[in-house]
């Protein structure tokens, strides 16, 4: 039996604790690429395996949409998969569970403006940030924090800063 | 497992089509806001021409940059996501240059994107020496594609059609229609590197960025 099948069976049967999360927040371009592209919004769905209480390792998919910085109709959309890891210092703490989260993956970016569109590009991307995790009750966890992120694009990096609001649920522990 | 990871990595890499989208987004494709910037163009079969950003001035109550090309001037504003050009249209009548249209008109909206189009137009008239002169003008610009031009990579290729109809409404005159087509290539942080019209081809020979 393949390792993926074993992992799947272990997850489904509750042998492996999992953290299922959804996050969203505004993102702000940093640098010249944001001269004409303004604030955006980002959303992420993630699934992380918790081999230890403090550590998670998993995968996610992220999408974002930036608008025009002025009164034009330009937009930049991106989507991509990532692998992620997190580390929290006080797991299950009711009010204050600080931690860090990082991800690395690929991002497909596409820009449209005035009825046209430039060719899409696939580039490596990374992010890292801090989190303040807390209980929302009913088995749900919430977190707020911020991320620094970069798209390692051809011709230069496209960096941004984002606020993160996250809700998650741990299952299988 | 190893084969699966290798196959997945290969699929991902094959699907990766990279292009410098973010370089283009961060570049200035018409850098007219640096006094002293100078472009020297080779005019096919007719020597060369130098374009220089000479100073800042005020036109139509707006602060702008003045560019000198030979003995002529043009006026530009590049801010807030737009490149605007001062249009100054005149009609020659009885030995006089009669002003028919003066206004700031957006030439390009940033960022450019392949396939985007924009059209500007004006329809006006004026009375000179007791004669009505009507003026219709229309400029259509399309971003035709991306590519290398005159050795400069990551250029946007613009195609432009400008039609002017002037009509001096008195005996002996009929509407005078002029249509000009241009192909223009703009390079990142350089500006126009190639311009082709049915009559001439301008190719950038050197560019010096001002302060």
């Amino acid at each position: 039996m393949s390792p993926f099948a074993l992992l799947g069976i272990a997850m489904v049967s509750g042998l492996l604790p999992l953290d299922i999360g959804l996050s969203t927040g505004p993102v702000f371009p940093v640098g010249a690429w944001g001269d004409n592209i303004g604030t955006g919004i980002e959303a992420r769905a993630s699934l992380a395996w918790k081999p230890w209480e403090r550590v998670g390792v998993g995968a996610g998919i992220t999408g974002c949409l930036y608008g025009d910085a002025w009164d034009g109709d330009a937009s930049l959309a991106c989507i991509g998969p990532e692998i992620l890891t997190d580390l929290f210092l006080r797991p299950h703490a009711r009010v204050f569970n600080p931690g860090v989260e990082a991800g690395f993956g690929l991002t497909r970016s596409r820009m449209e403006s005035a009825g046209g569109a430039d060719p899409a590009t696939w580039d490596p991307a990374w992010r890292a940030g801090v989190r303040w995790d807390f209980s929302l009750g009913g088995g749900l966890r919430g977190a707020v924090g911020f991320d620094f992120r970069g798209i390692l694009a051809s011709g230069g990096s496209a960096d941004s800063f984002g606020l993160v609001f996250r809700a998650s649920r741990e299952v299988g522990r | 497992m190893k084969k699966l990871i290798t196959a997945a990595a290969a699929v991902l890499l094959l699907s990766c089509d990279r292009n410098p989208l973010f370089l283009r987004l961060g570049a200035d494709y018409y850098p007219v806001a640096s006094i002293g910037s100078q472009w020297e163009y080779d005019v096919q079969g007719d020597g060369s021409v130098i374009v220089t950003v000479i100073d800042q001035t005020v036109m139509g109550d707006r602060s702008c940059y003045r560019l000198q090309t030979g003995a002529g001037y043009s006026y530009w504003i590049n801010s807030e996501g737009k490149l605007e050009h001062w249009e100054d249209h005149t009609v020659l009548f009885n030995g006089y240059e009669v002003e028919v249209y003066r206004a700031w008109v957006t030439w390009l909206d940033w960022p450019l994107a392949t396939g985007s189009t924009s059209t500007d137009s004006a329809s006006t008239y004026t009375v000179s020496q007791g004669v009505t002169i009507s003026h219709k003008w229309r400029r259509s610009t399309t971003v035709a594609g991306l590519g290398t031009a005159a050795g400069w990579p990551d250029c946007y290729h613009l195609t432009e059609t400008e039609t002017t109809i002037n009509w001096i409404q008195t005996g002996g005159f009929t509407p005078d229609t002029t249509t000009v087509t241009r192909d223009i290539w703009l390079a990142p942080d350089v500006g126009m590197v190639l311009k082709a019209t049915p009559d001439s081809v301008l190719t950038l020979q050197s560019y010096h960025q001002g302060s």
Side-chain angles (χ1 to χ4, degrees):
Chain A
M1 189 175 286
S2 81
F4 281 125
L6 284 173
L7 186 66
I9 291 168
M11 285 174 173
V12 170
S13 60
L15 295 176
L16 292 178
L18 291 173
D19 188 79
I20 302 164
L22 291 171
S23 61
T24 188
V27 278
F28 310 94
V30 176
W33 76 275
D35 286 351
N36 298 303
I37 295 291
T39 304
I41 189 162
E42 185 177 84
R44 178 182 307 110
S46 61
L47 183 66
W49 170 44
K50 305 290 276 188
W52 300 282
E53 283 202 328
R54 290 183 170 183
V55 178
V57 180
I61 186 158
T62 303
C64 62
L65 184 64
Y66 293 86
D68 199 296
W70 307 103
D71 56 357
D73 60 358
S75 66
L76 176 79
C78 56
I79 191 164
E82 67 170 14
I83 53 171
L84 61 92
T85 184
D86 59 42
L87 171 70
F88 285 92
L89 299 180
R90 303 178 66 223
H92 310 300
R94 182 181 288 267
V95 175
F96 181 56
N97 173 25
V100 292
E101 187 175 305
F104 186 83
L106 285 171
T107 292
R108 179 186 188 271
S109 310
R110 187 169 190 267
M111 190 271 293
E112 295 186 12
S113 180
D118 267 8
T121 177
W122 276 96
D123 300 293
W126 63 273
R127 66 181 178 89
V130 297
R131 300 286 184 272
W132 176 353
D133 175 82
F134 49 85
S135 171
L136 288 174
L140 289 172
R141 305 288 300 177
V144 295
F146 59 84
D147 272 351
F148 290 107
R149 64 200 70 203
I151 296 175
L152 305 173
S154 171
S157 178
D159 301 323
S160 56
F161 170 80
L163 299 176
V164 179
F165 303 93
R166 182 170 192 265
S168 63
R169 185 181 185 94
E170 193 173 305
V171 294
R173 188 174 293 283
Chain B
M1 176 74 170
K2 198 174 172 182
K3 281 180 186 170
L4 190 63
I5 290 172
T6 308
V11 168
L12 275 175
L13 284 173
L14 284 173
S15 66
C16 288
D17 185 13
R18 300 186 77 192
N19 73 76
L21 170 65
F22 292 96
L23 178 144
R24 294 195 301 274
L25 280 174
D28 187 349
Y29 275 84
Y30 216 87
V32 291
S34 300
I35 293 169
S37 287
Q38 197 168 77
W39 297 260
E40 184 177 359
Y41 295 96
D42 175 66
V43 185
Q44 194 179 45
D46 196 19
S48 66
V49 63
I50 292 174
V51 180
T52 310
V53 182
I54 52 171
D55 60 8
Q56 260 186 299
T57 185
V58 174
M59 290 295 283
D61 295 329
R62 296 182 66 191
S63 176
C64 61
Y65 287 89
R66 180 161 58 159
L67 273 67
Q68 184 174 19
T69 308
Y73 297 102
S74 61
Y75 302 87
W76 300 85
I77 298 172
N78 191 2
S79 72
E80 299 191 351
K82 288 176 188 174
L83 177 68
E84 295 172 88
H85 179 239
W86 177 251
E87 298 290 341
D88 188 356
H89 301 178
T90 58
V91 173
L92 194 63
F93 175 51
N94 270 356
Y96 292 94
E97 278 201 341
V98 180
E99 255 173 38
V100 287
Y101 182 64
R102 300 182 89 197
W104 283 107
V105 176
T106 300
W107 187 46
L108 295 171
D109 270 311
W110 309 121
L112 299 177
T114 307
S116 63
T117 59
S118 62
T119 301
D120 293 299
S121 61
S123 182
T124 184
Y125 71 92
T126 189
V127 177
S128 174
Q129 300 166 58
V131 173
T132 300
I133 302 170
S134 68
H135 173 74
K136 288 183 179 176
W137 170 77
R138 180 185 169 89
R139 182 174 60 208
S140 180
T141 307
T142 300
V143 181
L146 280 161
T148 297
W152 300 86
D154 302 313
C155 292
Y156 279 106
H157 172 200
L158 315 181
T159 58
E160 195 171 85
T161 303
E162 190 168 347
T163 303
T164 307
I165 305 171
N166 292 321
W167 187 13
I168 300 168
Q169 296 178 9
T170 186
F173 290 93
T174 54
D176 176 28
T177 303
T178 309
T179 300
V180 179
T181 57
R182 304 180 189 96
D183 283 275
I184 296 168
W185 283 264
L186 304 179
D189 297 321
V190 174
M192 192 177 80
V193 295
L194 187 63
K195 181 166 92 170
T197 65
D199 304 326
S200 68
V201 177
L202 268 70
T203 308
L204 184 68
Q205 292 302 301
S206 67
Y207 167 61
H208 165 76
Q209 188 181 6
S211 54

